Amino acid sequence: MQQHDYDPPEQFGGSASAVLRCLRELVELTGQDRTDAPPVLELQFGDILTLTSLAFDAPQPFLCVSVYLPRCALVAAAAPPLASPAYPGAEWLWDASEGRYIILHSIEIAQLADEPGLLDAILAAKDRAGAWLLSVSGQRA
């Protein structure tokens, strides 16, 4: 019987440096360019793109997940996602040159337990942004 060593994911314990280490590892695993700059994890889900980084320039560091929604027409009557209780800690932008909405999610480090929790937070941000786009435009997200 072959045994495999299993290393459970590192527990972040509210540590920005642990989250930063995890982001660096994920960037490396995805084969994205490694530089000395702070890591930005880029994940593509169909026609939705997420960019995830750690923001240190706030009183408390936080994970920033930028969700680039598919190109679409500006929905003039659309309420911004921030107006919805489903979007605490989020902002939205309209990028006219790209013809797309960008929704920025700010996630407190304390809400992230470990690597799976970080990845779940990215997926949840993507899903909420896609659901919002569907609700205001009827487009596939």
Side-chain angles (χ1 to χ4, degrees), residues 15 18 90 104-105 136:
S15 165
L104 308 173
H105 294 267
V136 297

Side-chain angles (χ1 to χ4, degrees), residues 52-122:
T52 305
S53 61
L54 190 60
F56 282 105
D57 57 352
Q60 294 294 325
F62 61 90
L63 190 71
C64 181
V65 180
S66 303
V67 181
Y68 290 73
L69 292 168
R71 289 180 171 82
C72 65
L74 177 64
V75 181
L82 193 56
S84 166
Y87 276 88
E91 317 177 35
W92 70 285
L93 307 166
W94 170 254
D95 184 338
S97 65
E98 293 262 333
R100 70 172 74 217
Y101 288 97
I102 302 169
I103 300 182
L104 308 173
H105 294 267
S106 301
I107 302 164
E108 295 176 16
I109 298 296
Q111 294 178 358
L112 306 170
D114 52 20
E115 181 181 314
L118 185 146
L119 293 171
D120 287 345
I122 295 170

Side-chain angles (χ1 to χ4, degrees), residues 70-73 75 78 101 129-141:
R71 289 180 171 82
C72 65
V75 181
Y101 288 97
W132 172 80
L133 183 62
L134 278 172
S135 75
V136 297
S137 68
Q139 292 211 7
R140 190 180 132 261

